[in-house]
Amino acid sequence: EWRAGKLQIAGEHVLSSAIGRRLGVAFEATPAADGPRVLVGLPTGCRHELSALAFAVSLRNKRVPVVYLGTDTPVDAWLTAIDSQPVAALTMAVPTSDVAQSAADIFQRVHAEFPQLVLAAGGRGSGQLPAFVRQLPPDIGAAASDLQTIIEHKGKTKGLTLAYVGDANNNMANS
């Protein structure tokens, strides 16, 4: 509706805030699992968090240990989070092409300092990232399942290509 001009920005913000609050409640209501964590967040300059938060909730529902870093996360915050706890993967939502360069800069720095870390991204801008960043499918549930598989089989997936076959036009990642 917003893209079609039928919903004003204020209305979109009201709906986004309501959905975000519900996702936050769902995230907090699901018990955290033990083990190396998956960091989930958005790059510097990005505040469109619904898909990232929904992804974090989906991971947590799969009993994957998750730390949600939130919106507009600078590279130093990502590096500090990696240094302060056992981390299995860093995942970032890149919902638009205008934040792809910011995301790429963060991934480059993290990859340089932690080359063994699984790096993954989803969203419309994720196709513009370096080749070492795994591109997740557009469906949030499928992306969570793929990342869970990658973490479980880390070291055994070199050269593996993941594919999602489904309807990518009707999911939250494309909202």
Side-chain angles (χ1 to χ4, degrees):
E1 294 288 324
W2 178 75
R3 287 180 195 249
K6 296 177 183 175
L7 181 66
Q8 296 299 315
I9 292 174
E12 185 267 338
H13 286 189
V14 168
L15 291 174
S16 294
S17 293
I19 293 167
R21 285 190 303 275
R22 288 180 187 242
L23 286 170
V25 167
F27 183 80
E28 294 302 326
T30 307
D34 291 328
R37 288 140 181 96
V38 173
L39 303 179
V40 177
L42 293 119
T44 307
C46 186
R47 293 195 172 102
H48 296 278
E49 77 171 326
L50 293 182
S51 61
L53 187 50
F55 181 67
V57 170
S58 185
L59 284 173
R60 193 170 261 195
N61 284 333
K62 293 179 177 299
R63 303 294 300 144
V64 173
V66 154
V67 174
Y68 182 66
L69 297 179
T71 66
D72 198 17
T73 308
V75 67
D76 290 339
W78 290 100
L79 295 171
T80 299
I82 295 166
D83 273 337
S84 66
Q85 59 199 315
V87 174
L90 179 156
T91 60
M92 193 179 303
V94 187
T96 60
S97 60
D98 61 327
V99 294
Q101 186 58 54
S102 175
D105 293 345
I106 292 168
F107 278 122
Q108 292 282 4
R109 179 103 177 264
V110 170
H111 183 64
E113 295 191 31
F114 301 95
Q116 79 291 351
L117 195 61
V118 173
L119 303 174
R124 292 177 184 212
S126 64
Q128 300 173 42
L129 299 175
F132 59 81
V133 178
R134 295 176 187 269
Q135 191 167 355
L136 296 170
D139 179 275
I140 290 170
S145 293
D146 282 1
L147 186 62
Q148 184 179 29
T149 300
I150 290 166
I151 292 167
E152 289 173 357
H153 299 285
K154 186 176 176 186
K156 302 175 202 165
T157 60
K158 188 168 183 143
L160 181 68
T161 300
L162 298 172
Y164 171 73
V165 179
D167 183 2
N169 293 319
N170 295 312
N171 65 60
M172 190 168 186
N174 286 318
S175 65

